[in-house]
Amino acid sequence: MTKESRSPTCIAVQCPACNEFVEFNLPKSSEPSQCTVKCFACKKDFPMDVSEVPFWKSEGTSRSVPSSSSPRATSSPSSDKKPKRTDGRTKGTDETPLETEYYEWLEVAPTATQAEIKKKYYMLALKFHPDKNPTPEAEERFKQIAEANQILSDPKLRHEYNERGAAKNRPDDANIDPAFFFTQLFGGEPFVKMIGELSIIQELTQVAEEAQEEDDASAKAIQDSNATDSEKDARKAERKRKKEEQARKRQEADERNKEQVKVISSHLKDKLAIYVENTSAEPKAALEAWESQIKAEAEDLKIESQGVELLHTIGSAYCFNAKKYFERQELFGSFRNAYHSVKETGRVMSDAYAMFKDAMELQRTYAELSKADENSITPEEKLRLEDSATKKGLQVLWKSGRLEIENKTHQACSAVLNDKTADKETLKRRAVAMRAMGEIYMAVKPDPDQIPNPFIQFETA
């Protein structure tokens, strides 16, 4: 069946007041491009400029051609041209993305909300849908809009795009940022406010550097027997400089840790404040209402990488510190408090010893690998050693990171429950909420069909 066609005389747009789609006749070629449209649903007027509608033309002009600033003039999704990165950055943020091409395609700002992105997508998709818009540019623009919306409508994909740009624009040999990988290993962005940015990578790197420097110093000490006095003085001065540099790095690490604990404490205090400051409601009802929010949050957090294990670790620290607070208020509570503190210290020492043991096994595995060529081991055996080293290395990272998380969480809890600016009733309500939140986190269970982290193929409990 053949259908007759005609030159389009109307377009459909979305009313900015009620979000209903409306259709209206285009102004005549002799009329101005700017007009006012009345929505049939909400009866409100809104301004409209049809000058950019590709099939509308004013009297005395030819069919409009998109300018270089028009969204239609941007490269097509299949273009090989990559967006320029003139600022030299290799990693962006949610506030200042590495690339903004997708945002430009959807005609929204990088700070646009999910609702704004969805609304703009519907408007542009309708405007440039090939069935509605017969112009040659419409098909390419529709592909751009769909590609951009696929990424920006998903919070996780959007965050990755903001940090690293579009996957099609990344070099094939791009190196993975170790800090980024480690953050993803420990819950990713959703957990950063709760545990901070873990410093274990920097600390392990510093330990390795110090070990290498000690080896170099030992080698130079052997050479000192034949060195001149000036050479010995120079080496002595260099050793002193390196020790001072190591001390400075440790001091900077301590300062970073203190700042992160302040941020974690502030975030925890704000979360508890939702219940603490709700003094107008009956206490039990207020607590139950707040707990429902925390349970919903925990359900979202548990699907992140190692989310269940992290929630259990954080929840255990919350419960421990809340229990310590209440025991301090009881008669002879200080004795039980001391007992539980010693017990917790013993558990932490046990975990630290297990981590140290894994680190020693990792060192032995690397020693075997370094002598692989000398011992003429088979390729299969070498591959087994490499797999073993990777697994043990991740075990060390996980246990070290978990100890750091526990330490920061304990410090943050202590700051919140020993706040000198808060009165006794506020501190008590904080402890009640902290204990409740800890119990909720510790009760979280993984979904049966949840896909495990492929990098964590060992026991994490």
Side-chain angles (χ1 to χ4, degrees):
M1 181 184 293
T2 302
K3 293 285 188 180
E4 294 293 330
S5 66
R6 61 180 174 83
S7 178
T9 60
C10 63
I11 61 171
V13 296
Q14 194 173 20
C15 173
C18 67
N19 293 332
E20 282 286 345
F21 284 101
V22 302
E23 185 180 77
F24 70 96
N25 291 324
L26 289 167
K28 297 178 180 178
S29 59
S30 59
E31 296 175 341
S33 63
Q34 295 181 345
C35 61
T36 300
V37 179
K38 179 182 285 293
C39 176
F40 75 91
C42 67
K43 308 303 180 184
K44 293 184 179 179
D45 295 342
F46 61 92
M48 185 71 192
D49 188 346
V50 300
S51 60
E52 290 192 0
V53 176
F55 48 80
W56 182 85
K57 59 181 179 180
S58 62
E59 195 171 71
T61 64
S62 60
R63 188 179 295 275
S64 60
V65 178
S67 65
S68 60
S69 61
S70 171
R72 295 185 297 278
T74 57
S75 60
S76 68
S78 59
S79 171
D80 291 334
K81 185 176 180 181
K82 297 180 181 180
K84 293 181 180 179
R85 300 174 181 176
T86 55
D87 57 4
R89 293 183 301 157
T90 58
K91 185 178 180 181
T93 65
D94 288 331
E95 291 74 25
T96 56
L98 187 65
E99 295 175 4
T100 58
E101 186 177 43
Y102 283 164
Y103 293 102
E104 292 166 5
W105 285 355
L106 280 183
E107 300 179 17
V108 296
T111 55
T113 64
Q114 290 297 316
E116 290 171 337
I117 289 172
K118 182 178 181 180
K119 179 180 177 181
K120 197 68 177 181
Y121 166 70
Y122 285 141
M123 291 179 66
L124 293 175
L126 182 64
K127 180 178 179 181
F128 291 103
H129 195 287
D131 292 342
K132 299 285 186 182
N133 191 330
T135 59
E137 310 91 50
E139 185 176 356
E140 289 299 326
R141 281 289 289 129
F142 186 75
K143 290 179 181 178
Q144 291 176 343
I145 294 163
E147 180 181 337
N149 181 68
Q150 184 180 7
I151 300 300
L152 299 185
S153 62
D154 186 313
K156 290 184 180 180
L157 295 178
R158 182 183 181 184
H159 175 69
E160 184 179 358
Y161 171 74
N162 289 341
E163 284 198 335
R164 305 176 63 202
K168 62 181 181 180
N169 298 324
R170 297 173 198 159
D172 295 335
D173 59 347
N175 293 323
I176 298 177
D177 182 356
F180 175 80
F181 168 78
F182 199 55
T183 299
Q184 299 308 307
L185 192 67
F186 282 85
E189 191 69 25
F191 275 92
V192 169
K193 288 184 178 180
M194 299 172 68
I195 63 177
E197 295 182 356
L198 302 185
S199 60
I200 186 64
I201 286 288
Q202 294 91 329
E203 291 177 1
L204 290 177
T205 301
Q206 184 176 341
V207 168
E209 290 175 353
E210 291 176 2
Q212 183 61 47
E213 288 173 359
E214 288 179 3
D215 291 341
D216 294 342
S218 298
K220 289 178 180 179
I222 298 174
Q223 301 172 3
D224 279 348
S225 57
N226 300 323
T228 62
D229 290 342
S230 60
E231 288 175 336
K232 291 179 180 179
D233 291 341
R235 290 173 183 169
K236 185 177 180 181
E238 179 65 13
R239 287 195 293 270
K240 181 180 178 182
R241 185 194 67 78
K242 287 183 177 179
K243 286 183 179 180
E244 291 174 348
E245 178 69 13
Q246 291 171 3
R248 182 185 64 79
K249 287 182 178 179
R250 291 194 187 97
Q251 185 175 359
E252 289 176 352
D254 289 341
E255 291 300 322
R256 284 195 302 270
N257 183 74
K258 289 178 182 178
E259 287 301 315
Q260 288 201 32
V261 169
K262 286 182 181 178
V263 173
I264 298 169
S265 303
S266 177
H267 174 70
L268 176 58
K269 197 182 299 182
D270 291 343
K271 189 178 291 187
L272 299 175
I274 299 173
Y275 163 74
V276 172
E277 296 174 4
N278 186 14
T279 55
S280 58
E282 193 272 325
K284 184 178 180 181
L287 183 61
E288 288 177 351
W290 180 77
E291 285 178 336
S292 66
Q293 297 181 34
I294 300 302
K295 288 177 181 177
E297 177 195 70
E299 288 299 306
D300 290 335
L301 289 171
K302 78 177 187 180
I303 65 175
E304 301 296 335
S305 174
Q306 302 307 107
V308 174
E309 290 80 1
L310 290 171
L311 288 172
H312 289 178
T313 299
I314 297 168
S316 176
Y318 287 171
C319 288
F320 176 79
N321 283 276
K323 188 174 183 179
K324 278 181 63 178
Y325 172 84
F326 288 117
E327 286 180 346
R328 286 202 307 268
Q329 315 308 314
E330 299 173 1
L331 183 65
F332 302 117
S334 58
F335 293 103
R336 287 197 301 274
N337 199 334
Y339 167 74
H340 289 303
S341 295
V342 171
K343 187 177 179 180
E344 177 68 7
T345 301
R347 187 194 62 78
V348 171
M349 291 295 293
S350 177
D351 288 347
Y353 174 74
M355 182 197 69
F356 177 76
K357 185 178 178 181
D358 286 340
M360 295 300 294
E361 290 180 3
L362 176 62
Q363 188 177 31
R364 283 194 291 269
T365 303
Y366 275 125
E368 288 182 54
L369 271 173
S370 64
K371 297 178 180 179
D373 293 333
E374 298 176 15
N375 297 335
S376 301
I377 65 173
T378 63
E380 292 78 10
E381 178 64 15
K382 185 175 182 181
L383 182 61
R384 186 193 67 78
L385 287 173
E386 289 174 347
D387 289 342
S388 176
T390 301
K391 181 179 179 180
K392 289 174 181 175
L394 287 170
Q395 279 182 312
V396 172
L397 286 176
W398 167 255
K399 291 179 179 179
S400 301
R402 189 170 61 182
L403 283 172
E404 183 180 342
I405 291 169
E406 288 179 340
N407 182 44
K408 285 181 180 178
T409 307
H410 281 304
Q411 291 182 54
C413 290
S414 178
V416 169
L417 297 180
N418 292 284
D419 186 359
K420 301 298 183 183
T421 63
D423 56 45
K424 289 185 177 180
E425 182 59 25
T426 297
L427 294 177
K428 181 181 177 181
R429 289 176 69 86
R430 284 181 184 176
V432 168
M434 185 181 292
R435 179 176 59 191
M437 184 159 59
E439 290 173 350
I440 290 171
Y441 284 179
M442 291 181 70
V444 168
K445 295 180 180 179
D447 293 331
D449 56 348
Q450 186 168 332
I451 301 174
N453 189 321
F455 295 103
I456 307 295
Q457 299 178 358
F458 49 81
E459 184 63 40
T460 56

